[in-house]
Amino acid sequence: SGNMERIMKAQAYAKADDPSSSFYASQKKTLEINPRHPLLRKLNEMAKAAAEAEAEAEEPEEDAEEGETEEKAAKPADTQLLDTARVLIDTARLRSGYSLADSVQFAERIERMLRLSSGVDLDAAVEAEPELPVEEEE
């Protein structure tokens, strides 16, 4: 379990190269999902829609000239799909007591999802702090 893994890592007298602790830590974890959960159903719909859109985009266009190539950029729907899937997995890890390998990326995905859900532009910058007049002491 995640809690046991944390305890094993935190033991003060644990050997650095103890084979038993590294054996248990390297074992694969199992993620059980409920395919009837509304989030997973929506994720499945989003994945199917993204696959269909990609298949349609790969069809050759009659108007395209020879040698003309299009740069493929990540679409907002694809980014949202990947963010949702990764946040789902990361929250499952956290709920099970495991730590995240990269908490910075987790925080960036959460912020991106919060911006999208609240209608804030993804490129909107934080406003600068206003400069307040310095009061002189008497």
Side-chain angles (χ1 to χ4, degrees):
S1 74
N3 194 31
M4 186 60 167
E5 189 173 303
R6 252 194 344 263
I7 290 170
M8 289 173 66
K9 286 180 184 177
Q11 286 184 348
Y13 299 108
K15 295 181 201 171
D17 296 326
D18 185 15
S20 64
S21 64
S22 62
F23 171 77
Y24 290 114
S26 67
Q27 295 298 305
K28 291 186 178 185
K29 284 55 170 185
T30 302
L31 173 66
E32 295 181 6
I33 61 171
N34 179 356
R36 294 175 300 280
H37 192 282
L39 274 175
L40 289 174
R41 291 178 71 172
K42 181 64 177 176
L43 209 59
N44 189 26
E45 289 173 14
M46 290 170 64
K48 286 179 181 177
E52 287 174 6
E54 188 175 315
E56 289 176 6
E58 288 180 358
E59 292 177 4
E61 294 183 20
E62 295 175 11
D63 298 341
E65 295 179 17
E66 283 187 34
E68 192 175 306
T69 59
E70 289 183 29
E71 290 185 26
K72 290 188 177 183
K75 298 174 190 86
D78 292 346
T79 303
Q80 184 181 6
L81 173 66
L82 289 173
D83 281 348
T84 305
R86 289 178 178 147
V87 166
L88 184 66
I89 290 170
D90 286 344
T91 54
R93 284 183 184 134
L94 289 172
R95 284 182 174 178
S96 297
Y98 295 100
S99 58
L100 298 178
D102 192 353
S103 61
V104 173
Q105 282 187 349
F106 177 72
E108 288 172 355
R109 283 192 293 271
I110 293 291
E111 182 181 354
R112 206 168 26 250
M113 293 175 78
L114 288 170
R115 284 177 178 248
L116 287 171
S117 68
S118 59
V120 176
D121 186 23
L122 292 175
D123 298 326
V126 177
E127 292 180 8
E129 288 277 335
E131 291 189 29
L132 300 176
V134 179
E135 293 182 15
E136 293 183 21
E137 292 183 25
E138 292 181 26

